[in-house]
Amino acid sequence: MAMDEQLPDSSSRRWEFLAYAYATVLAGLTAYFLFGLPVQLSDSFANLLTIQSGSLWQVFRAQLGGGGYLRPLLQTQLKVVYELAGGHYFLWFRGVQAVQVLVCLWLCVRMLQPRRLANLLVVPCALAIVLGLHTFAGTIYEAFPINTFLTLVICCLAAANLARTSGGWLVDAAAAAVLVFSLLTLETGVLVWVILVAARVAGARGVSTRSVVLVTAVLAGYVAWRTLYLHVGAPGFDERPTGFGFRVLEPSEVMARFKDHPLPFYVYNFGSALLTVLFGEPRGGVWRFAAGLSRGTVAPWQVINVVSSTLTTCVLAWYIAKRAAAWARRSIRPDDLVVVLFLAVLPANAMLCIVYVKDVIMSPAGVFYALAAAVALRELLTGTGHQRAARSHALAAAVLVCVSALWGWRLLGIHYSLRAEAAKVRAEWAYEDEWEARNRILISTAEGAALKRTLLDDAIWRRPAPPRLDIGWADQAFDQTQ
Amino acid sequence: MGGSSIRSDAVVPLTAALALAAPVLLAFCLLLAFVVAEVAGASPFAIDRPRNVAETAAFGDAAGLLALIAQGQDVNARWEVRQDLLDSRGPQRVTAMQAAILMRRPEVVQLLLRRGARAGQPKELACLAQAVGVGRELPPSVFNAPDGRYYDGSPLGGIDALTRCGIPFE
């Protein structure tokens, strides 16, 4: 059987339409599971209590204090949605998260430019990697109640998409605006600058020299404002527990071990962050798979995670090796841009983890990993059409089917885990009184009490709980540690 | 592979195209079918919903428990719990608190007490907690019973524990 097709404009539009339609349905399926999760108690409720009173400006100003963080737009976004919600917090905050997932998937599809059949064919696998990768899980499991990590992923994808435009002053202004927005939301926003500069170096038409100068000036201004005017430092490593070796170290242990010589700790965290994206291990700095191997207690989901990530990384490495000589001659194809951006984002993102490693912090690198893998998979797919030994064809097909099947499995797993998470979040609300006492939270205003009542009622009885699943083998087969 | 192909601007062997797209699309279709089934009212792979506060307590579904209490179910009444949940020999009629103790869910017992459940038979409940092995998490004082040993023996469960502690279940 042979399917010969020409490529008129209508055909390329058809592939694009199919790709966006697929992304939309997939985002809709994820949204279905997201709407099973009530607004969380921990993080979300406390954050909402903080921004309840005061004007938008007061909320913004309140976040300009000292300490190790400068995230004024994080709370401001919460305030905006809180006010817009008019009491319907669940619908608004979950709605924002569902829209974020949709936008994220659309931007991923746009990066892959599925105007050819071969590009369309990799879209399902690419989106499965985006959603199924453990670094992305934290962007949909949690919300604070707007998941800022997901916001940052969208900002990074927006910057990369701007680089793929034909440029102009409007694009320059948009790039600067995205950078400002992301920097004031989370420190990880600096990745937007990395993406824009890397795109320029790679010859992307959307980013002009003028644009690079502009965003670099914005970044310099931010750093000066942060350090010289606001005196905001960097977070210390005595603030949070973090994984090291085969277990999690408490801040006091980190201080005892690394206070005088922190470099090995920083290097370990940097390496862990890189490896977790490429190989699915370590997780949060802890070598769980390796520990499981040594004890003979490896769960099937751990094998699936490590094998799927490693195999995908091998395909990506093959692609990079194949294209490296051309890149050295500065011959960079439009599709190569995605891979180049991944190579720039990965170490930059890992640098942001040197104080403590958390998988979700690597979510931008994870998404670019998925896109770069898609480019490599497409090369493997189309490469099999050229004259090659039958053995190479068979090997390529075997790799493709394994990658596709394993990521398809992880796609199912993330949704199964979302359902399990829904039960956990509901249970948290049932013990809300204990949580209040444990965290010494005093709800003294009528407004605060009303917020608590609304969120509690939403979690307990106003929104019907989704059915709890009873699949005996699922706990072993799907990753629920994310 | 290699004979059949899909040609756009690049030749894509059909086998390779299927190898890449089919498995992940199968996963997508499974997900889609699951969601469509749930929206249509079916509950694939789901646990049968608990029918009352006692079953909900046995499952440890604290939020579901509060929802049923809010709907007006009497937390102190005895409710029928399906066979196999507490014991495989048949259904039992127990209170939510007894069900929670039998399933070794001390946190649910504490929640029930805070939500108006009464420990109507303090010594029997203390015995039940000790019989199923949660005597340390649920000391007799939790049920307003005097401190002491109410059960000494090997751990029991289900009907055996209820019978040993003198709690009616039929």
Side-chain angles (χ1 to χ4, degrees):
Chain A
M1 185 181 80
M3 296 168 65
D4 290 348
E5 291 178 0
Q6 299 301 312
L7 247 188
D9 282 348
S10 63
S11 177
S12 66
R13 276 200 298 274
R14 188 174 65 201
W15 304 141
E16 277 193 311
F17 173 79
L18 283 173
Y20 281 108
Y22 178 82
T24 305
V25 176
L26 186 56
L29 294 176
T30 305
Y32 174 79
F33 286 86
L34 281 176
F35 272 93
L37 281 159
V39 172
Q40 284 162 264
L41 173 63
S42 51
D43 291 336
S44 296
F45 178 47
N47 282 348
L48 288 176
L49 283 174
T50 309
I51 55 98
Q52 240 190 342
S53 53
S55 66
L56 201 61
W57 175 243
Q58 284 170 327
V59 169
F60 181 87
R61 281 290 303 270
Q63 301 300 313
L64 299 181
Y69 304 97
L70 176 63
R71 302 167 174 177
L73 284 187
L74 188 151
Q75 302 283 47
T76 309
Q77 289 163 44
L78 296 191
K79 179 70 174 173
V80 169
V81 179
Y82 175 83
E83 294 297 340
L84 286 172
H88 302 286
Y89 309 116
F90 172 79
L91 280 180
W92 274 82
F93 283 109
R94 278 288 164 238
V96 165
Q97 199 174 18
V99 169
Q100 282 187 310
V101 171
L102 177 66
V103 171
C104 176
L105 296 190
W106 275 352
L107 289 172
C108 286
V109 169
R110 195 178 182 282
M111 280 303 288
L112 293 173
Q113 299 189 331
R115 293 178 194 139
R116 297 180 297 171
L117 179 59
N119 289 24
L120 173 69
L121 286 169
V122 298
V123 165
C125 206
L127 298 188
I129 300 174
V130 169
L131 290 177
L133 195 66
H134 59 282
T135 55
F136 193 80
T139 69
I140 50 176
Y141 271 19
E142 296 178 314
F144 317 110
I146 294 177
N147 191 302
T148 35
F149 293 109
L150 187 50
T151 307
L152 252 297
V153 165
I154 290 170
C155 288
C156 290
L157 286 169
N161 274 281
L162 285 171
R164 287 210 119 162
T165 63
S166 50
W169 68 267
L170 211 58
V171 172
D172 293 348
V178 170
L179 179 62
V180 170
F181 177 81
S182 52
L183 281 173
L184 296 182
T185 299
L186 215 59
E187 283 76 6
T188 320
V190 73
L191 291 176
V192 168
W193 178 83
V194 172
I195 288 166
L196 293 167
V197 172
R200 176 63 191 159
V201 171
R205 284 193 304 156
V207 189
S208 61
T209 306
R210 180 184 58 196
S211 181
V212 168
V213 170
L214 180 63
V215 294
T216 304
V218 166
L219 181 64
Y222 164 81
V223 172
W225 182 54
R226 179 184 172 115
T227 54
L228 302 178
Y229 182 70
L230 296 172
H231 304 292
V232 176
F237 59 51
D238 56 341
E239 291 180 19
R240 298 165 196 259
T242 185
F244 191 86
F246 295 116
R247 68 185 187 92
V248 174
L249 298 182
E250 291 303 316
S252 57
E253 293 177 284
V254 176
M255 288 295 281
R257 282 200 199 186
F258 300 108
K259 188 183 172 191
D260 297 328
H261 303 287
L263 188 62
F265 180 67
Y266 293 150
V267 171
Y268 176 84
N269 285 345
F270 177 77
S272 296
L274 286 183
L275 294 175
T276 198
V277 173
L278 297 173
F279 302 105
E281 171 84 350
R283 296 291 299 276
V286 179
W287 293 83
R288 292 184 189 179
F289 179 74
L293 272 182
S294 66
R295 293 190 208 114
T297 56
V298 174
W301 66 262
Q302 291 180 299
V303 177
I304 291 166
N305 278 13
V306 171
V307 171
S308 57
S309 290
T310 304
L311 191 58
T312 308
T313 298
C314 287
V315 176
L316 186 54
W318 163 80
Y319 178 83
I320 291 167
K322 192 178 171 190
R323 296 288 304 148
W327 293 350
R329 297 193 305 272
R330 294 196 58 80
S331 167
I332 298 175
R333 299 191 309 218
D335 285 344
D336 290 339
L337 176 66
V338 175
V339 183
V340 171
L341 290 182
F342 166 65
L343 293 175
V345 168
L346 180 64
N349 203 162
M351 279 300 290
L352 298 166
C353 290
I354 60 167
V355 172
Y356 86 108
V357 190
K358 194 176 173 190
D359 291 342
V360 71
I361 299 174
M362 293 303 289
S363 50
V367 169
F368 280 89
Y369 171 78
L371 297 174
V375 171
L377 288 170
R378 202 215 53 210
E379 185 72 10
L380 192 62
L381 176 69
T382 55
T384 58
H386 302 306
Q387 292 304 313
R388 248 194 213 177
R391 214 160 148 195
S392 301
H393 285 307
L395 180 63
V399 169
L400 289 172
V401 81
C402 286
V403 167
S404 178
L406 290 168
W407 285 106
W409 191 258
R410 288 178 76 168
L411 178 70
L412 292 176
I414 186 78
H415 290 90
Y416 175 84
S417 304
L418 274 174
R419 179 58 59 87
E421 189 68 15
K424 281 186 207 159
V425 175
R426 278 198 157 72
E428 273 183 17
W429 275 105
Y431 299 104
E432 190 275 340
D433 49 352
E434 284 181 3
W435 175 84
E436 250 181 66
R438 205 169 45 245
N439 292 285
R440 297 196 182 102
I441 288 179
L442 184 66
I443 300 170
S444 53
T445 63
E447 218 182 357
L451 173 67
K452 172 181 153 182
R453 175 51 45 200
T454 305
L455 295 178
L456 187 64
D457 288 351
D458 275 344
I460 300 297
W461 60 268
R462 194 176 293 143
R463 311 265 156 214
R468 298 175 77 173
L469 302 181
D470 182 22
I471 308 174
W473 45 264
D475 288 345
Q476 285 290 304
F478 296 135
D479 181 3
Q480 291 182 73
T481 62
Q482 305 171 89
Chain B
M1 62 191 282
S4 303
S5 64
I6 303 169
R7 206 190 74 196
S8 51
D9 56 341
V11 177
V12 181
L14 186 62
T15 318
L18 286 174
L20 178 61
V24 76
L25 283 176
L26 176 66
F28 170 80
C29 290
L30 287 173
L31 198 57
L32 182 63
F34 176 85
V35 171
V36 169
E38 276 203 350
V39 171
S43 300
F45 307 114
I47 296 169
D48 284 343
R49 281 187 188 272
R51 293 170 299 191
N52 53 55
V53 282
E55 284 196 353
T56 311
F59 276 119
D61 179 2
L65 192 58
L66 296 191
L68 291 177
I69 294 171
Q71 285 171 19
Q73 283 202 6
D74 183 357
V75 77
N76 292 307
R78 288 166 60 213
W79 297 87
E80 184 167 300
V81 175
R82 71 188 75 164
Q83 189 172 350
D84 291 331
L85 194 48
L86 301 177
D87 198 301
S88 60
R89 284 170 279 185
Q92 298 86 42
R93 289 183 66 81
V94 293
T95 66
M97 198 183 304
Q98 290 162 359
I101 296 170
L102 282 169
M103 294 301 282
R104 300 176 183 85
R105 300 190 188 280
E107 74 287 356
V108 176
V109 173
Q110 300 281 7
L111 179 70
L112 282 163
L113 287 167
R114 289 200 301 275
R115 299 289 169 156
R118 291 189 309 273
Q121 302 169 285
K123 291 179 181 175
E124 286 80 358
L125 291 174
C127 168
L128 193 62
Q130 291 173 3
V132 300
V134 288
R136 189 183 296 176
E137 295 89 340
L138 296 171
S141 58
V142 167
F143 308 108
N144 289 322
D147 277 343
R149 293 299 304 171
Y150 293 88
Y151 174 80
D152 278 310
S154 53
L156 298 175
I159 291 172
D160 296 333
L162 290 167
T163 307
R164 173 67 182 74
C165 294
I167 296 173
F169 56 86
E170 288 172 338

